[in-house]
Amino acid sequence: MVLVAVNPATGERIEEIEETDIGKVQTFYENSRRAFSRWSGLSLDERLGYFRRLKKVMAEAMDEIAKTVSLDTGKVPTDALVSDVMPTIESIEFVLKHAKKSLSPQKVKTPLLLFGKTSCVEYMPRGVVLVISPWNYPLQLAMVPAVSALAGGNTVILKPSEVTPLVGKLIESLFQRAGFPEHVLQVAHGGKEVGSAFVNGKPDYIFFTGSVKTGKIIQKAAAEHLIPTTLELGGKDPFIVFADANLERAAKGAVWAAFTNCGQVCMSAERIFVEKSVFPEFVERLKEETRSLVLGQGEDADIGSMTFPGQKEIVREHVLDALARGAKFETGEHPDRWTEDSLFVKPMVMTNVPLDAKIMKEETFGPVLPVVPFETEEEAVKLANDTEYGLNASVWSNDLERARRVAAKLVSGAVVINDAVISVANPHLPFGGAKNSGIGRYHGKDGLRIFCHEKALVIDRGRLKREVQWYPYKGTYPLFLRLFQSYFGERKNWFAFFQSFLRLMKRN
Ligand code: ADP
């Protein structure tokens, strides 16, 4: 079986890539476990040496990488560069700068009962991490979890999306060029059957990015063997504009956040809520900004093609459903006029959209922006939270106190004030969702630690012949009572505390 890499912008077949034979799943795991014993045995500094080379290789190959991503997805080269390649390099830099601090043993306090001992937390790699990634940001969403897992000493099997196999191959080649030891990262090519076979191959951790539907299938399969997971799923992100916002900036921001990557973004602006008093003006601005966008493939184009033909059909279905329920096109083309054999879809702005339309409820993942008015702050919060998702949100106001107040009430993994989407580009911030948007977080120091067992370590120097709470219990009950009550009670009684402490110690 082969995967055919097709340029979605032209329909041109680019290359055939051999699918991984499901019969080889066990060999992948055996290779990975063998590589794990060597890779996890290296010091962190030794591992970071490979990351330094990977960063250099990627920085030098940025143009090649961006062009490959663009060819494989149909997104314009600027989207590929800014939103896929650059954040990936930043995340390698984050690992280089922060892995040591994040993954070294952390000394913690030791409580009264454990007097005289030392406590710390250690981070131990889990083993083989399976990363399953989607097609919309095929580089970043595969490489960031892979790199984070590798930093902690894990080995990785990556199963990239079958829709973007060229990028999967490119990732394999980037790790080879950086000189990573054999089998530390292996790439398995194929679709859901291959993904499913690898899930059933019992990895030690699964990091999945993709649809809610597949996320639930994977979570169920993982539960069978109690395999821990991180699930990064969809979004239906709200974008709230108050009347006092910088409307010019908000409109430009909304158009970018809604249409970047042709709207195929889990954290794009997907539901715009605008304060009623400025609604007509804001819609005019959105129309103007949207109409100025250039569709195409070159470096100067703003919007590329959609990536996956099936997704265009979902967008069509959502738009027709909204129109049937009375929604109005402010700009854009009726699906009847879309070119059948092209994945280029003109960006659309719609108003008069009922709240129960599919376009307001389900993930559309395409270049369409529904705009809805609101009257009060409470209503804006209610509308924004009225969704099964909770990945990202955006609040626009010149009153930062109000923006912070609203942000605090949004059930969302992230909120960006007077900007949108970009929280994902700060590797110091956690990334992940609430509700159906997923389980767990990555990025930041915890994004390195999730791939490790957190091991609690208590160290005693072993000098005393026994501990105060060991046998025999005779006579200890009242002394423990007095010790704790004199210390934790309403008023400290140091005399009683030291007296009971010394009596307990004397028993040793
Ligand atoms: P998207 O449409 O965003 O790509 P999917 O959830 O369909 O979302 O796919 C995301 C990734 O999950 C892809 O790499 C795909 O091949 C893989 N996948 C799909 N179904 C399964 C499955 N049942 N088990 C494992 N992986 C799967």
Side-chain angles (χ1 to χ4, degrees), residues 381-499:
V381 170
K382 192 160 172 279
L383 287 166
N385 281 337
D386 181 21
T387 169
E388 290 173 6
Y389 295 98
L391 190 56
N392 206 328
S394 173
V395 182
W396 295 73
S397 170
N398 273 339
D399 176 353
L400 287 186
E401 217 173 279
R402 165 158 67 182
R404 291 289 295 264
R405 188 167 64 232
V406 169
K409 291 180 188 157
L410 297 177
V411 185
S412 178
V415 182
V416 182
I417 293 173
N418 292 323
D419 202 335
V421 183
I422 42 80
S423 49
V424 63
N426 181 351
H428 296 268
L429 286 172
F431 179 85
K435 301 192 262 184
N436 269 357
S437 291
I439 297 178
R441 297 286 183 273
Y442 73 129
H443 291 196
K445 66 178 181 339
D446 290 333
L448 300 175
R449 290 177 178 170
I450 55 167
F451 296 106
C452 295
H453 292 293
E454 251 187 337
K455 187 183 287 174
L457 193 66
V458 178
I459 303 158
D460 189 290
R461 296 193 318 176
R463 303 242 169 96
L464 298 177
K465 71 173 186 275
R466 66 185 284 280
E467 289 295 322
V468 289
Q469 82 281 10
W470 291 357
Y471 300 128
Y473 284 171
K474 193 169 175 216
T476 57
Y477 188 91
L479 290 176
F480 278 127
L481 264 189
R482 197 149 174 257
L483 181 84
F484 260 52
Q485 286 176 340
S486 61
Y487 189 77
F488 290 117
E490 178 96 16
R491 281 178 46 232
K492 283 207 186 344
N493 180 344
W494 289 114
F495 176 75
F497 173 75
F498 284 115
Q499 194 182 47

Side-chain angles (χ1 to χ4, degrees), residues 107-156:
K107 195 159 183 265
V108 295
K109 284 197 180 345
T110 303
L112 179 61
L113 188 64
L114 304 181
F115 180 79
K117 301 177 198 298
T118 312
S119 308
C120 61
V121 183
E122 288 192 350
Y123 298 94
M124 181 187 181
R126 291 177 183 270
V128 180
V129 174
L130 174 63
V131 175
I132 299 181
S133 56
W135 47 259
N136 61 334
Y137 289 95
L139 187 81
Q140 179 188 171
L141 299 180
M143 279 196 74
V144 176
V147 158
S148 309
L150 291 170
N154 302 280
T155 48
V156 169

Side-chain angles (χ1 to χ4, degrees), residues 132-133 135 159-162 191-192 195-196 208-209 211 214 217-218:
I132 299 181
S133 56
W135 47 259
K159 209 300 284 167
S161 172
E162 65 278 25
K192 67 177 179 189
S196 174
F208 171 76
T209 309
S211 63
T214 308
I217 294 172
I218 287 177

Side-chain angles (χ1 to χ4, degrees), residues 43-331:
S43 69
L44 184 56
D45 275 330
E46 285 171 315
R47 287 200 294 271
L48 291 182
Y50 293 97
F51 286 94
R52 235 165 258 123
R53 284 206 288 278
L54 181 64
K55 184 180 75 170
K56 198 162 152 268
V57 164
M58 289 189 67
E60 277 162 12
M62 274 176 90
D63 184 43
E64 174 203 341
I65 304 170
K67 297 279 164 60
T68 306
V69 170
S70 172
L71 197 65
D72 216 11
T73 57
K75 68 174 84 184
V76 293
T78 312
D79 269 344
L81 189 70
V82 175
S83 307
D84 217 10
V85 184
M86 283 158 53
T88 307
I89 295 177
E90 286 277 13
S91 78
I92 299 172
E93 179 70 356
F94 178 86
V95 167
L96 287 170
K97 288 218 170 110
H98 300 279
K100 197 129 199 201
K101 198 159 163 234
S102 308
L103 297 174
S104 301
Q106 314 281 315
K107 195 159 183 265
V108 295
K109 284 197 180 345
T110 303
L112 179 61
L113 188 64
L114 304 181
F115 180 79
K117 301 177 198 298
T118 312
S119 308
C120 61
V121 183
E122 288 192 350
Y123 298 94
M124 181 187 181
R126 291 177 183 270
V128 180
V129 174
L130 174 63
V131 175
I132 299 181
S133 56
W135 47 259
N136 61 334
Y137 289 95
L139 187 81
Q140 179 188 171
L141 299 180
M143 279 196 74
V144 176
V147 158
S148 309
L150 291 170
N154 302 280
T155 48
V156 169
I157 297 175
L158 167 67
K159 209 300 284 167
S161 172
E162 65 278 25
V163 180
T164 48
L166 280 186
V167 179
K169 270 198 76 172
L170 177 68
I171 292 172
E172 213 170 6
S173 140
L174 291 170
F175 277 85
Q176 273 163 10
R177 286 186 235 172
F180 273 72
E182 200 184 22
H183 299 142
V184 161
L185 176 120
Q186 298 174 91
V187 180
H189 300 280
K192 67 177 179 189
E193 288 77 18
V194 174
S196 174
F198 275 92
V199 168
N200 293 325
K202 295 200 213 152
D204 298 296
Y205 197 91
I206 301 175
F207 191 101
F208 171 76
T209 309
S211 63
V212 178
K213 185 170 151 245
T214 308
K216 287 182 179 173
I217 294 172
I218 287 177
Q219 185 74 350
K220 272 191 198 147
E224 194 59 38
H225 304 290
L226 287 183
I227 299 169
T229 61
T230 299
L231 304 180
E232 297 291 348
L233 310 177
K236 194 72 194 172
D237 296 350
F239 187 108
I240 304 171
V241 183
F242 287 101
D244 67 349
N246 177 342
L247 295 184
E248 183 184 359
R249 177 178 164 83
K252 286 182 191 297
V255 166
W256 178 76
F259 301 134
T260 180
N261 203 27
C262 211
Q264 304 165 119
V265 189
C266 51
M267 52 203 309
S268 58
E270 285 162 285
R271 297 174 297 143
I272 303 246
F273 300 111
V274 183
E275 194 163 352
K276 204 169 182 180
S277 58
V278 294
F279 187 81
E281 177 191 343
F282 196 73
V283 171
E284 276 314 306
R285 285 181 183 271
L286 287 178
K287 279 160 67 169
E288 203 177 305
E289 293 293 336
T290 304
R291 284 179 183 153
S292 72
L293 298 173
V294 177
L295 269 71
Q297 296 173 64
E299 283 178 16
D300 292 334
D302 297 311
I303 301 192
S305 76
M306 294 192 70
T307 302
F308 176 50
Q311 201 61 45
K312 185 180 161 194
E313 293 319 306
I314 295 172
V315 177
R316 184 197 304 274
E317 182 196 324
H318 286 198
V319 169
L320 289 175
D321 170 75
L323 289 172
R325 291 164 189 259
K328 178 179 158 219
F329 262 127
E330 295 294 340
T331 183

